[in-house]
């Protein structure tokens, strides 16, 4: 399908089309990351770009798409003799499935032939197939960590290395990396995020006429795909020719000093990490000029390059929304232009060897240029008294959401079972969250087999080797010592005569490895009136936000159950998007009674359903409460029975005790015992507090 098949009802589709075309003009730009909600034609547009890319010349029969004019000297199918003609084929679009194995991505070795015959029998993977083409990853944010690491290595070096038990294979792997993702399903690792040259945000339009046109064109395509393609064939041909012309013009494009200053100043103004953003902006601006048929980069090219190259690089933490302040961008570009002009003027006005320099100022403190001494009462120097420092507009007044001063005193907490007072009060507006901090490590005991992550111990494809077993299906990780031990007793019976080892498939042993898995962290947060005091809720939200940040770093799924008033609700279904959890937490209202039993029972139901969906992902229940229970008959005994039900189902739990003040009832500790869980206070949740306690114990010993 042609890329000119327009989804006009998708906001950002023009930017997406431009970003893909710029990468077609200059592959050095570094690929495109497409962020957007479902149903916005992300995949359709990416797949269509392959039809517009020029054909590539390849060595006939080479599985690694070597260029016949300059073949890879280390090609596993080589060596190849240079041949300017070669064969031509269309540029490939290779799709990497989210659930692909590492062998499918990098290729696989035939271990039996490698051990017995000493040959490198190598079956290429998707990286080899994508060489000199497009590697497309749909739902790239859901890609397993070990596959992300392989992609990072290949994108950085332009080559893929397969190292297995002393057998080494290397081949070239230079490709245009294109990924699509729905931010609601989780964010991308910063290392991979920075590896994409450009990013585009697409959303569905709310204009009726535009949506009608999309439906009309889709129905026309379904009715007669050939006629629909023929309708756009001429425009597609013109686009392909324009790409070829821009590629030919690209080496002639001039990147002036003023433009370079604007690029550097813009990256500095937005505080992006590293220097990759500067390089990508320069390459993008150059490609924009070539695409427009110009040989000189303009300020408009730099502005457009910044809008495509910087939004995903200015995020300081996972909870920052990507984007760019266009007013700040324009100010940075204008300031850089003025500085470049001033620098050029300074060079032009610099005195030559025959010019008289300006006289030196009077060493005795003569008058300054304005007739008064420098730094005097009328000046701006350090001794001047006439200047008034400017006032910042955001320095006065309370913080957003602080409608009343904080006296520092916490309202008295009602006794358990009380039906009046703060616990039964009206709903309170959401309070702000405290600053996040590094939390202590919370893990699920035992050894799991879930998706690779960084929280709990598990059997994984990556990690340290702990044993060997017979392979299940295709051999992925050879345990060499165990294989040799299995083959050694049979050498005489197999008629071994030479130096080579006679190995049969039944001798092969797979390595058993232990690493870390990601878990489902389900937060059950008390939002009742007993927690409504602003000082306490700020600390509670700060703690949950810190745990969400920890879950992001450890590759967990997260969910959020809240309870207050008459019952409990699932505020956030289990998802990989921790920033969605932070957004729900920010808007969390408080007030009313404390239906603790309802919160625990809702958590039990959520975990039951998730166990059916993904039995291998082990849950970790984090209950954030002061342990009070009010409302209904026998609230505390009902909460105890709900806690014991969770404990009987084998759920690993942690209770974060939020009770404060000089008088404490210890109800959170009782709840922890019913859950079979550990109990930690808000202060003990901090990693620096745990480190300090460990140091104190060591000093005492």
């Amino acid at each position: 399908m042609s890329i000119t098949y327009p989804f006009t009802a998708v906001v950002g589709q023009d930017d997406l089309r431009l970003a893909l075309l710029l990468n077609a003009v200059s592959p050095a730009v570094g690929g495109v990351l497409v962020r957007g909600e479902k149903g916005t034609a992300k995949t359709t547009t990416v797949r269509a770009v392959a039809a517009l890319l020029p054909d590539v010349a390849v060595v006939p029969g080479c599985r690694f798409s070597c260029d016949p004019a300059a073949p890879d000297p280390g090609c596993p199918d080589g060596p190849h003799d240079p041949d300017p003609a070669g064969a031509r084929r269309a540029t490939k679009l290779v799709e990497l499935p989210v659930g692909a194995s590492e062998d499918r991505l990098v290729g696989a070795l035939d271990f039996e032939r490698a051990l017995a015959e000493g040959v490198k029998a190598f079956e290429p993977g998707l990286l080899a197939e994508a060489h000199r083409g497009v590697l497309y990853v749909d739902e790239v944010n859901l890609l397993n960590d070990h596959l992300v690491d392989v992609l990072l290595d290949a994108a950085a070096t332009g080559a893929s290395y397969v190292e297995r038990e002393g057998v080494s294979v290397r081949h070239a792997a230079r490709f245009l990396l294109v990924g699509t993702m729905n931010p609601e399903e989780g964010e991308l690792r910063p290392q991979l995020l920075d590896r994409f040259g450009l990013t585009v945000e697409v959303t569905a339009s709310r204009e009726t006429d535009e949506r009608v046109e999309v439906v009309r064109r889709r129905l026309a395509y379904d009715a007669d795909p050939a006629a629909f393609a023929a309708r756009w064939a001429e425009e597609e041909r013109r686009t392909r020719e324009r790409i070829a012309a821009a590629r030919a013009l690209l080496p002639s494009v001039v990147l002036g000093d003023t433009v370079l200053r604007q690029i550097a100043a813009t990256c500095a103004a937005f505080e992006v990490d590293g220097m990759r953003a500067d390089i990508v902006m320069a390459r993008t601006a150059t490609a924009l000029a070539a695409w427009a048929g110009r040989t000189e980069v303009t300020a408009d090219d730099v502005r457009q390059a910044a809008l495509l190259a910087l939004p995903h690089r200015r995020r300081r933490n996972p909870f920052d929304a990507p984007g760019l302040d266009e007013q700040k961008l324009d100010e940075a570009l204008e300031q850089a232009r003025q500085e470049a002009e001033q620098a050029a003027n300074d060079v032009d006005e610099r005195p030559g060897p025959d010019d008289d320099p300006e006289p030196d100022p009077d060493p005795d403190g003569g008058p300054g240029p304005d007739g008064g001494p420098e730094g005097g009462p009328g000046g701006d120097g350090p001794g001047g008294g006439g200047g008034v420092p400017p006032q910042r507009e955001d320095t006065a007044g309370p913080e957003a959401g602080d409608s009343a001063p904080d006296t520092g005193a916490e309202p008295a907490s009602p006794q358990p079972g009380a039906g009046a007072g703060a616990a039964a009060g009206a709903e309170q507006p959401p309070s702000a969250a405290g600053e996040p901090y590094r939390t202590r490590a919370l893990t699920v005991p035992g050894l799991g087999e879930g998706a690779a992550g960084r929280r709990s111990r598990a059997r994984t494809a990556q990690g340290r080797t702990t044993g060997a077993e017979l392979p299940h299906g295709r051999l992925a990780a050879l345990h060499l010592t165990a294989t040799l031990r299995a083959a050694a007793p049979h050498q005489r019976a197999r008629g071994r005569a030479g130096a080579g080892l006679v190995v049969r498939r039944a001798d092969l042993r797979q390595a058993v490895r232990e690493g870390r898995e990601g878990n489902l962290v389900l937060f059950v947060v008390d939002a009742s009136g007993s927690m409504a005091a602003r000082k306490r809720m700020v600390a509670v939200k700060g703690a949950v936000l810190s745990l969400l940040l920890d879950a992001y770093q450890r590759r967990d799924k997260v969910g959020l159950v809240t309870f207050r008033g008459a019952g409990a609700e699932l505020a956030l279904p289990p998802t990989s998007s921790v920033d969605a959890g932070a957004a729900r937490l920010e808007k969390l209202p408080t007030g009313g009674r404390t239906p603790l039993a309802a919160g625990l029972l809702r958590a039990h139901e959520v975990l039951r359903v998730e166990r059916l969906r993904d039995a291998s992902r082990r849950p970790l229940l984090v209950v954030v409460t002061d342990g009070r229970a009010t409302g209904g008959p026998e609230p505390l005994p009902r909460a105890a029975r709900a806690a014991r039900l969770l404990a009987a189902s084998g759920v690993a739990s942690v209770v974060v005790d939020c009770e404060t003040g000089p008088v404490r009832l210890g109800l959170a500790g009782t709840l922890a015992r019913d859950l079979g869980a550990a109990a930690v206070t808000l202060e003990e949740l901090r990693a620096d507090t745990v480190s300090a306690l460990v140091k104190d114990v060591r000093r005492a010993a």
Side-chain angles (χ1 to χ4, degrees):
M1 185 182 296
S2 168
I3 196 173
T4 53
Y5 172 22
F7 279 77
T8 54
V10 178
V11 178
Q13 193 74 29
D14 290 340
D15 288 340
L16 172 56
R17 184 175 184 271
L18 177 62
L20 292 170
L21 291 173
L22 292 177
N23 276 273
V25 172
S26 175
V29 167
V32 185
L33 174 65
V34 190
R35 298 167 49 92
E37 57 197 26
K38 53 187 177 294
T40 50
K42 301 185 297 293
T43 301
T44 300
T45 307
V46 172
R47 288 174 178 167
V49 74
L52 299 177
L53 297 177
D55 293 345
V56 295
V58 296
V59 173
C62 178
R63 298 174 297 167
F64 301 87
S65 301
C66 280
D67 185 351
D72 180 9
C75 176
D77 284 355
H80 304 298
D81 294 327
D83 178 10
R88 300 194 70 83
R89 63 161 174 79
T91 300
K92 288 185 179 180
L93 175 71
V94 178
E95 297 191 32
L96 171 61
V98 170
S101 65
E102 184 176 350
D103 281 350
R104 183 70 185 99
L105 179 61
V106 302
L109 290 170
D110 188 332
F111 289 108
E112 185 175 353
R113 292 189 62 192
L115 290 174
E117 304 173 26
V119 298
K120 298 178 182 179
F122 181 68
E123 181 182 342
L126 294 177
L127 289 179
E129 191 176 350
H131 178 48
R132 304 177 66 202
V134 181
L135 181 62
Y136 171 50
V137 189
D138 193 14
E139 306 294 350
V140 63
N141 50 324
L142 303 182
L143 202 62
N144 286 332
D145 272 4
H146 66 284
L147 297 184
V148 171
D149 293 336
V150 172
L151 276 180
L152 287 174
D153 289 341
T157 63
S160 174
Y161 296 86
V162 182
E163 301 281 351
R164 299 287 173 83
E165 307 299 338
V167 181
S168 178
V169 174
R170 173 213 166 273
H171 65 83
R174 293 184 296 276
F175 46 81
L176 170 60
L177 181 61
V178 181
T180 57
M181 59 175 285
N182 184 349
E184 295 178 355
E185 298 173 347
E187 282 298 339
L188 205 58
R189 280 177 58 180
Q191 296 93 330
L192 185 57
L193 192 66
D194 186 51
R195 196 62 69 177
F196 286 98
L198 310 179
T199 186
V200 178
E201 191 91 19
V202 293
T203 58
S205 172
R206 300 298 182 258
E207 294 293 331
T208 303
D209 292 342
E210 294 179 346
R211 298 173 75 96
V212 167
E213 183 63 19
V214 168
V215 175
R216 182 180 293 117
R217 295 185 181 184
R218 177 67 205 195
L219 294 178
Y221 174 79
D222 292 340
D224 192 345
F228 187 86
R231 175 184 173 186
W232 298 99
E234 179 60 24
E235 184 174 344
E236 183 177 275
R237 182 190 62 78
R238 290 197 300 267
T239 303
R240 188 182 296 109
E241 291 176 352
R242 187 176 176 186
I243 292 174
R247 281 188 171 185
L249 183 62
L250 187 65
S252 304
V253 176
V254 177
L255 197 66
D257 186 66
T258 300
V259 170
L260 281 174
R261 283 180 174 271
Q262 287 180 319
I263 291 173
T266 301
C267 293
F270 285 98
E271 300 179 347
V272 295
D273 295 330
M275 295 296 297
R276 185 172 285 117
D278 304 62
I279 298 171
V280 170
M281 275 188 64
R283 290 171 174 168
T284 305
T286 304
L288 279 163
W291 177 248
R294 290 182 274 102
T295 58
E296 186 173 352
V297 178
T298 66
D300 289 339
D301 295 330
V302 176
R303 187 180 191 278
Q304 182 64 55
L307 292 174
L308 294 173
L310 295 187
H312 60 302
R313 290 187 166 90
R314 59 173 300 274
R315 300 185 70 193
R316 312 311 297 180
N317 64 68
F319 307 130
D320 290 339
L324 213 61
D325 185 341
E326 295 195 29
Q327 181 178 352
K328 183 178 179 181
L329 172 60
D330 291 335
E331 292 173 355
L333 291 173
E334 177 61 23
Q335 182 178 353
R337 184 190 64 79
Q338 293 176 0
E339 290 176 354
E341 290 181 354
Q342 183 61 42
N345 292 336
D346 290 344
V347 172
D348 293 340
E349 296 173 2
R350 185 177 301 163
D354 297 330
D355 295 334
D356 293 331
E358 291 291 332
D360 292 334
D362 189 346
D364 296 329
D370 57 356
E374 295 186 13
D380 296 272
V388 179
Q391 297 294 326
R392 289 183 54 187
E393 295 179 1
D394 58 348
T395 55
E399 294 182 3
D402 291 352
S403 57
D406 187 2
T407 61
E410 182 177 340
S413 300
Q415 295 297 321
E427 179 178 306
Q428 303 294 322
S431 58
E435 285 295 321
Y437 48 82
R438 190 167 64 90
T439 64
R440 63 185 292 182
L442 305 178
T443 60
V444 178
L447 190 67
E449 295 184 352
R454 298 183 179 180
R455 183 172 297 277
S456 306
R457 293 175 54 229
R459 288 185 56 175
T460 59
Q462 305 294 317
R464 62 187 182 90
T465 301
T466 59
E469 64 180 4
L470 289 171
H472 305 287
R474 185 169 186 169
L475 180 66
L478 177 72
H479 194 295
L480 181 59
T481 305
T483 299
L484 295 178
R485 283 203 303 265
H490 308 290
Q491 295 305 295
R492 181 176 297 177
R494 293 173 181 172
R496 174 185 173 184
L501 188 67
V502 182
V503 179
R504 300 285 185 264
R505 186 162 296 277
D507 301 329
L508 299 179
R509 296 295 183 269
Q510 173 123 349
V512 176
R513 292 175 175 171
E514 181 178 315
R516 294 281 172 176
E517 67 177 357
N519 298 111
L520 167 60
V521 182
L522 182 63
F523 297 95
V524 180
V525 179
D526 184 351
S528 64
S530 64
M531 305 286 288
R534 176 155 47 87
K535 188 174 182 180
R536 183 188 294 186
M537 204 59 197
V538 167
V540 168
K541 284 190 174 183
V544 178
L545 192 65
S546 303
L547 290 168
L548 281 170
L549 182 60
D550 181 69
Y552 166 80
Q553 295 168 341
R554 296 181 187 276
R555 312 291 181 260
D556 295 316
K557 292 181 68 175
V558 296
L560 177 63
V561 172
T562 63
F563 59 94
R564 66 182 184 89
E569 66 170 336
L570 179 60
L572 179 70
T575 175
S576 298
S577 178
V578 296
D579 52 346
R584 301 292 174 89
L585 183 69
E586 181 182 358
K587 300 176 182 178
L588 179 65
T590 56
R593 295 182 180 275
T594 313
L596 176 58
L600 296 176
L601 291 174
R602 188 59 188 272
H604 180 271
E605 177 63 17
V606 171
L607 295 178
R608 184 189 68 81
V609 173
E610 286 301 310
R611 190 176 293 113
L612 295 175
R613 292 176 178 172
D614 187 358
S616 64
R617 188 179 289 270
R618 297 188 295 164
L620 174 63
L621 184 68
V622 180
V623 185
V624 185
T625 181
D626 56 10
R628 289 172 170 79
T630 61
E634 300 183 330
L636 283 175
R638 289 180 63 236
R641 289 194 293 272
R644 288 192 287 270
L645 178 64
L646 280 164
S649 65
V651 176
S653 306
V654 175
V655 175
V656 180
D657 185 359
C658 303
E659 192 173 30
T660 58
V663 179
R664 304 193 182 189
L665 303 177
L667 297 176
T670 303
L671 174 64
R673 287 192 292 273
D674 290 331
L675 283 169
V680 297
T681 64
L682 289 174
E683 185 63 26
E684 293 170 345
L685 191 62
R686 292 177 176 268
D688 51 1
T689 302
V690 176
S691 300
L693 290 173
V694 171
K695 290 179 181 178
D696 291 342
V697 170
R698 288 176 177 173
R699 281 197 296 266

